[in-house]
Amino acid sequence: DKDELKQLKQENKMLRIENEFLKKLDALDHEKSAHAKQ
């Protein structure tokens, strides 16, 4: 039980990090698109 909780917390942490990374990547993509249209 404790091992499972530890594993889930670790997985959750990784997913949060990935999520933040993807948000930043998406924001950069939108910036590039905006500049390309000008």
Side-chain angles (χ1 to χ4, degrees):
D1 240 17
K2 283 184 180 179
D3 285 344
E4 188 181 2
L5 185 62
K6 190 178 176 183
Q7 190 178 346
L8 287 171
K9 283 184 177 182
Q10 198 173 357
E11 192 175 329
N12 197 21
K13 189 178 177 183
M14 284 303 300
L15 289 170
R16 285 175 194 262
I17 291 168
E18 284 179 25
N19 197 24
E20 283 301 309
F21 178 75
L22 290 172
K23 282 183 194 174
K24 288 176 186 175
L25 206 60
D26 194 44
L28 278 174
D29 196 43
H30 283 290
E31 257 183 54
K32 283 183 186 175
S33 297
H35 288 300
K37 289 176 184 173
Q38 291 177 351

